[in-house]
Amino acid sequence: MQPFQTHEVRNQPPAFGARDLWSEDAALREAVAHEGGEAFGGEVAAYGALAGGELLPLADEAHRDRPRLRTHDAAGRRIDEVRFNAAYHRVMDIAVTHGVAGLSWARPEPGAQVARAALAYLHYQAEPGSSCPLTMTHAAVPVLRQAPALREWADKVAACRYDARDVAVGDKPGVTLGMGMTEKQGGSDLRSNATTATPAADGDGAYTLVGHKWFMSAPMSDGFLVLAQAPGGLTCLLMPRRLPDGSRNALALMRLKDKLGDWSNASSEVEFQDALAWRIGEEGRGVATILRMVMLTRLDCMLGSAGLMRMALARAVHHARHRSAFGRLLSEQPLMRNVLADIAIEAEAALALSMRVARAVDAAGRDPGESAFARIATAIGKYWICRRAPTVVNEAQECLGGAGYVEDSLLPRLYRQAPLNSIWEGSGNIQCLDVLRALAREPEAGEALRAEIEGARGLHPALDAVAANLGDLLAGADEAGSRRLAGHLALALQASVLLRSGSPVAEAFCRTRLAGDHGLALGTLPAGVDCDALVTRALPL
């Protein structure tokens, strides 16, 4: 029997379809070149095609079939195994092989961190959940290199090889790393950690761990950086999932977290029952040791949030170009053009600052000024860009109307993901307090900040006004007003980067974000801003 035809399906946008996320993104291409990553353009371009093509349907599958914890096998033996859809492992294989976790270490030459940042930005647009283990793996290398005995782990990150097998590190061509810092009683207050680390009888830097972690990220990883109380105080250690002889380490996965989003990735609660781990750095210097990776993880939070904005913008523009209302395409209607253009400004500013920070990270070992800038700019950028992402994604979601609220669209997944980066690796308050701490205790950080903003003097009167008042702004900083301070600094930094790079959005950004010619909501650009040009730049016709 033929179905009864009640209506004709029309005025529906075509599928978003496979895209080349590199060739469509002029802002990304320009940022990679401007910040020194042009030598890696071929690698980034190749990944842009993969991210917008093969990875997107794999991400759909990995999110639909969430990780599951299997604590025991059929015979009742404890196995603590996290099972994933095969699509997740394919995503990880593609990402690791193409350097999302290891390019910086496999090819440690100028521009590598910038190129790796671009890879991370592209990957987050396609499959953000897997970005957690990729980020942790990438950021763990500077920490691991502090312990010569653990060199094999760092070398196997640089190998850019993915191996999902649950076997000892010596039997694997490549490894992934997770992290276990947070405990129930402390949250961001890591010094209140209660897990104990007792020196093992055979010495050699080995310890036994007893305690718990309230959040241990990526529990399927080969090893984990953890903080525990050793006799000399809070200490950083590497705890492998499998011991060198191949036996299971004494950690028990209690449950997986039931999260708002980030569904393709597993996060866990775990208990240590005399688990073996190896010390990194000195006893009592755990926080200082782990801070070597914070610059990298915070940068990835910025890149991830910028990537979410970018993908949400692309989906909204695509919809508006194919959907009609009241006799015209949405993209032809002035108010919708204003909204899309305003999102485009926000997204490009987020990317521009993130890539500028990537350049500072890239040069940190060679240039003390860049190192100081990276130190403070990662805290400023993480606070502001990650704070803006949920607002931007929601605005893009609204462009699709009800269609943006149902799971047939990608927008609900992006919206669930958007708050994560503002929480992960230190919430907004932690970042703002860190900005104050850097200004108070590290004069070179404040000097680098001033130099960056002053470097764009004369390029726009609105930024000139900010630069002229910068001393008063910094002098009046206190804890209660630190969010206000960080927000002002973030806007000034974004303006400086956009102006000095010659971005076509720089004028509109300075006029609306610095000069106050803007409303309290997105979509309130003033007359005279070329909305059509901004939208066309964001996603070419």
Side-chain angles (χ1 to χ4, degrees):
M1 179 179 177
Q2 293 295 321
F4 189 76
Q5 186 169 336
T6 62
H7 65 284
E8 176 187 355
V9 177
R10 58 185 179 82
N11 194 26
Q12 287 289 322
F16 188 75
R19 302 291 182 106
D20 186 334
L21 302 185
W22 167 260
S23 66
E24 284 188 343
D25 195 340
L28 175 61
R29 297 195 307 274
E30 292 166 13
V32 168
H34 185 263
E35 306 303 349
E38 200 165 23
F40 297 85
E43 289 88 338
V44 182
Y47 203 71
L50 276 170
E54 184 178 356
L55 286 187
L56 280 170
L58 289 171
D60 290 341
E61 190 66 25
H63 275 262
R64 271 195 295 268
D65 184 12
R66 300 190 210 180
R68 298 177 301 281
L69 173 61
R70 189 171 180 231
T71 57
H72 296 79
D73 66 11
R77 287 181 288 265
R78 186 98 197 190
I79 57 173
D80 290 300
E81 177 185 278
V82 183
R83 292 190 170 181
F84 293 82
N85 186 285
Y88 173 87
H89 290 298
R90 176 60 181 154
V91 166
M92 286 292 292
D93 190 10
I94 292 171
V96 170
T97 301
H98 286 82
V100 178
L103 177 66
S104 309
W105 319 123
R107 294 176 58 185
E109 55 197 79
Q113 290 283 1
V114 173
R116 208 288 315 182
L119 294 175
Y121 168 80
L122 290 167
H123 186 84
Y124 213 96
Q125 294 179 55
E127 211 303 278
S130 53
S131 290
C132 172
L134 294 169
T135 288
M136 292 293 144
T137 300
H138 175 253
V141 170
V143 177
L144 292 168
R145 284 181 172 169
Q146 296 177 68
L150 302 176
R151 176 171 182 149
E152 179 183 18
W153 288 83
D155 289 346
K156 289 190 174 181
V157 173
C160 296
R161 299 278 301 278
Y162 180 66
D163 185 345
R165 293 177 302 152
D166 184 10
V167 296
V169 63
D171 297 325
K172 305 189 75 163
V175 297
T176 58
L177 280 299
M179 184 187 288
M181 304 290 162
T182 308
E183 297 185 4
K184 295 182 179 75
Q185 72 284 349
S188 296
D189 183 8
L190 297 176
R191 296 191 184 278
S192 69
N193 280 10
T195 296
T196 60
T198 303
D202 59 359
D204 197 28
Y207 291 69
T208 56
L209 304 182
V210 175
H212 80 285
K213 294 296 173 183
W214 185 228
F215 281 89
M216 192 172 81
S217 61
M220 59 290 183
S221 301
D222 298 297
F224 308 90
L225 295 177
V226 299
L227 288 177
Q229 298 288 355
L234 194 63
T235 300
C236 180
L237 305 103
L238 172 69
M239 180 187 66
R241 187 171 60 175
R242 290 275 172 178
L243 297 176
D245 64 3
S247 62
R248 286 183 59 251
N249 206 349
L251 61 147
L253 299 180
M254 308 310 291
R255 62 171 176 166
L256 300 185
K257 295 291 192 181
D258 189 5
K259 298 171 292 184
L260 168 66
D262 204 47
W263 288 351
S264 64
N265 177 49
S267 302
S268 64
E269 295 173 31
V270 62
E271 291 185 353
F272 307 139
Q273 303 161 351
D274 277 339
L276 271 174
W278 280 263
R279 176 169 52 83
I280 302 174
E282 300 174 19
E283 282 192 4
R285 297 282 296 165
V287 173
T289 301
I290 211 71
L291 281 176
R292 291 177 178 262
M293 68 188 299
V294 165
M295 191 184 302
L296 297 173
T297 55
R298 286 179 175 174
L299 171 58
D300 273 18
C301 289
M302 296 164 62
L303 292 161
S305 292
L308 288 177
M309 294 186 209
R310 168 65 194 177
M311 180 54 74
L313 169 64
R315 296 286 174 141
V317 172
H318 173 77
H319 180 88
R321 284 177 175 164
H322 294 92
R323 175 79 168 176
S324 296
F326 313 113
R328 287 184 296 174
L329 287 171
L330 291 175
S331 60
E332 296 173 351
Q333 301 188 24
L335 188 52
M336 179 60 81
R337 289 204 305 270
N338 194 304
V339 170
L340 293 172
D342 217 358
I343 296 174
I345 292 171
E346 197 76 29
E348 182 162 341
L351 172 64
L353 179 55
S354 299
M355 295 301 287
R356 169 64 185 97
V357 173
R359 173 160 65 94
V361 170
D362 191 89
R366 307 183 299 273
D367 185 332
E370 288 291 272
S371 179
F373 178 71
R375 162 73 181 89
I376 194 166
T378 49
I380 293 169
K382 184 193 181 302
Y383 164 70
W384 185 251
I385 292 171
C386 299
R387 178 72 47 209
R388 297 297 294 161
T391 298
V392 170
V393 173
N394 176 243
E395 199 67 64
Q397 193 174 29
E398 192 173 318
C399 293
L400 277 68
Y405 197 69
V406 297
E407 296 296 334
D408 290 331
S409 166
L410 183 66
L411 270 299
R413 186 196 307 167
L414 300 182
Y415 188 58
R416 287 192 300 270
Q417 193 76 25
L420 175 59
N421 286 320
S422 67
I423 299 170
W424 188 43
E425 292 303 286
S427 63
N429 285 355
I430 295 296
Q431 305 307 315
C432 294
L433 293 174
D434 200 28
V435 172
L436 286 186
R437 189 179 302 111
L439 291 172
R441 301 180 185 176
E442 304 172 40
E444 62 277 11
E447 292 167 8
L449 184 65
R450 289 185 180 89
E452 186 71 17
I453 295 171
E454 291 278 353
R457 278 254 199 178
L459 297 180
H460 197 281
L463 184 60
D464 289 349
V466 172
N469 295 319
L470 187 58
D472 292 339
L473 181 67
L474 296 177
D478 61 9
E479 182 174 329
S482 58
R483 280 193 175 218
R484 181 177 175 82
L485 170 67
H488 281 310
L489 294 175
L491 293 175
L493 288 175
Q494 287 179 320
S496 175
V497 175
L498 291 169
L499 287 166
R500 289 196 286 177
S501 68
S503 168
V505 312
E507 167 64 30
F509 182 90
C510 291
R511 178 179 172 186
T512 57
R513 272 64 172 176
L514 296 186
D517 199 1
H518 194 264
L520 295 177
L522 290 167
T524 55
L525 296 174
V529 173
D530 191 344
C531 293
D532 288 342
L534 292 170
V535 174
T536 301
R537 171 177 169 79
L539 192 70
L541 290 167

